[in-house]
Amino acid sequence: MPASVIFPSANRGITEWLARRPVPIVSKSMGTEPNNAAVTAAGRPWRLAHPKERDLAKRAVDLVIAVTCLVALLPIYVVVAVAIWLESGSPVLFRQERAGLRGRPFLMFKFRSMVANAEQETGPVWAATNDARVTRVGAFLRRTHLDELPQFWNVLRGEMSVVGPRPERPVFLAKLDKEIPGFSSRCTVKPGITGLAQVSNGYTQSTRAARRKLRYDIHYIRNYCFLLDLKIMARTIQVLANDENAR
């Protein structure tokens, strides 16, 4: 793993413009049509007014959720690992470099849902719907989002949060920041297992989708608090049962 990753500076003008637009807390139509009932934060954002208290509270919640899930879901971890091994052998876990807080690289863990060495011939590419590289067990894991469970280990290690912008691969972060001014500003907070963009906009499979995702992420970064995180986690439970959000 390289010692550092290129982390382009955000275009503050564009970032602030995006952040100040009227944006619904959770809406699938955000960025595609006007919404007169949009919710905006008045005055100074809470995350800026109370940075230490915010960060400590968020980390405490992350630790409680991560430890609880790692312990309570241990039987599911074992069953999934055995199923992957029986179908396609090892490795059971898939590790991939992602850009974390302030662009620092880290290894994100997932249950392997594709054939081994899936990008050996194609290089880094976005995962697509009905991807031929996905195994039968992997298709089930993606549909149920069970492949994401090992990321609670990343949360425990402090590399991720339960809620936050989805971590991008460094190669995609550099590419998108050139095409979308201010995209790298998503890295001003820890990335998350779930987030406002994921539950509202789904997973990114194109630059156009990334533009919509940025609006959700900027809105979350400016306004996130415990209640917003709870709302996103509750919405995530609904998304887990929706096959349209799997990839």
Side-chain angles (χ1 to χ4, degrees):
M1 185 177 66
S4 62
V5 61
I6 297 175
F7 182 46
S9 59
N11 185 317
R12 293 189 177 182
I14 295 294
T15 300
E16 288 300 309
W17 184 89
L18 286 167
R20 289 172 180 169
R21 299 309 90 193
V23 171
I25 291 296
V26 175
S27 170
K28 292 184 178 180
S29 64
M30 190 178 73
T32 59
E33 62 184 22
N35 190 325
N36 295 328
V39 179
T40 57
R44 192 181 185 193
W46 184 87
R47 65 172 297 273
L48 296 180
H50 308 280
K52 291 183 179 180
E53 292 85 348
R54 172 212 67 193
D55 292 343
L56 288 174
K58 189 171 180 66
R59 180 58 181 156
V61 172
D62 284 344
L63 286 174
V64 170
I65 294 177
V67 171
T68 300
C69 290
L70 287 171
V71 174
L73 301 179
L74 183 58
I76 296 179
Y77 280 79
V78 174
V79 170
V80 171
V82 171
I84 295 172
W85 183 80
L86 288 176
E87 181 187 32
S88 55
S90 60
V92 169
L93 289 178
F94 174 69
R95 298 182 299 173
Q96 190 176 72
E97 186 179 73
R98 296 294 178 103
L101 181 64
R102 291 188 286 277
R104 290 195 298 264
F106 71 98
L107 290 179
M108 188 183 77
F109 295 91
K110 299 180 70 173
F111 280 121
R112 181 171 60 84
S113 59
M114 291 186 176
V115 296
N117 302 317
E119 293 186 341
Q120 188 172 2
E121 296 182 0
T122 63
V125 293
W126 272 313
T129 304
N130 300 321
D131 197 314
R133 300 170 298 170
V134 178
T135 64
R136 287 178 299 175
V137 171
F140 173 78
L141 296 180
R142 285 169 174 251
R143 186 168 61 252
T144 57
H145 298 270
L146 290 174
D147 60 323
E148 311 283 357
L149 288 180
Q151 289 163 43
F152 284 111
W153 177 248
N154 290 115
V155 174
L156 189 64
R157 288 160 56 102
E159 298 161 334
M160 293 179 64
S161 180
V162 175
V163 180
R166 192 65 183 163
E168 287 288 350
R169 299 175 67 174
V171 61
F172 292 147
L173 176 65
K175 176 180 181 293
L176 290 170
D177 199 62
K178 291 180 180 178
E179 299 178 4
I180 308 173
F183 190 82
S184 62
S185 61
R186 300 169 66 253
C187 295
T188 56
V189 298
K190 286 183 182 179
I193 297 177
T194 185
L196 182 60
Q198 291 92 286
V199 300
S200 305
N201 191 57
Y203 287 94
T204 300
Q205 298 180 3
S206 66
T207 301
R208 182 178 180 182
R211 292 181 186 274
R212 294 195 301 268
K213 180 173 72 172
L214 178 60
R215 294 197 65 199
Y216 287 105
D217 289 335
I218 293 298
H219 181 73
Y220 174 78
I221 289 169
R222 285 181 58 86
N223 301 289
Y224 78 80
C225 61
F226 180 66
L227 291 179
L228 179 56
D229 279 5
L230 282 181
K231 185 170 185 178
I232 293 172
M233 284 186 275
R235 182 67 179 270
T236 300
I237 296 175
Q238 300 176 356
V239 174
L240 289 176
N242 187 350
D243 288 350
E244 294 180 358
N245 292 279
R247 83 209 187 290

